[in-house]
Amino acid sequence: MPSSDSSPNQPDRRPLIVFAWLWVGVPLAYGLYELVRKATQLFTA
């Protein structure tokens, strides 16, 4: 019984998965960076 992962007619979705992670991860990482930066300014008066 062939598995669905090895069928040749299935498109490779790895580039789409990488793009989706970057689409979410880059703004999230930037937001966390800004949060830490501003929190340190707030607590180091």
Side-chain angles (χ1 to χ4, degrees), residues 7-18:
S7 65
N9 59 359
Q10 291 290 331
D12 188 16
R13 294 191 183 266
R14 281 179 285 187
L16 178 63
I17 292 169
V18 169

Side-chain angles (χ1 to χ4, degrees), residues 25-35 37:
V26 169
L28 179 65
Y30 177 72
L32 288 173
Y33 167 74
E34 287 293 321
L35 175 70
R37 193 171 69 88

Side-chain angles (χ1 to χ4, degrees), residues 33-45:
Y33 167 74
E34 287 293 321
L35 175 70
V36 169
R37 193 171 69 88
K38 291 186 180 186
T40 55
Q41 288 177 356
L42 180 66
F43 292 113
T44 56

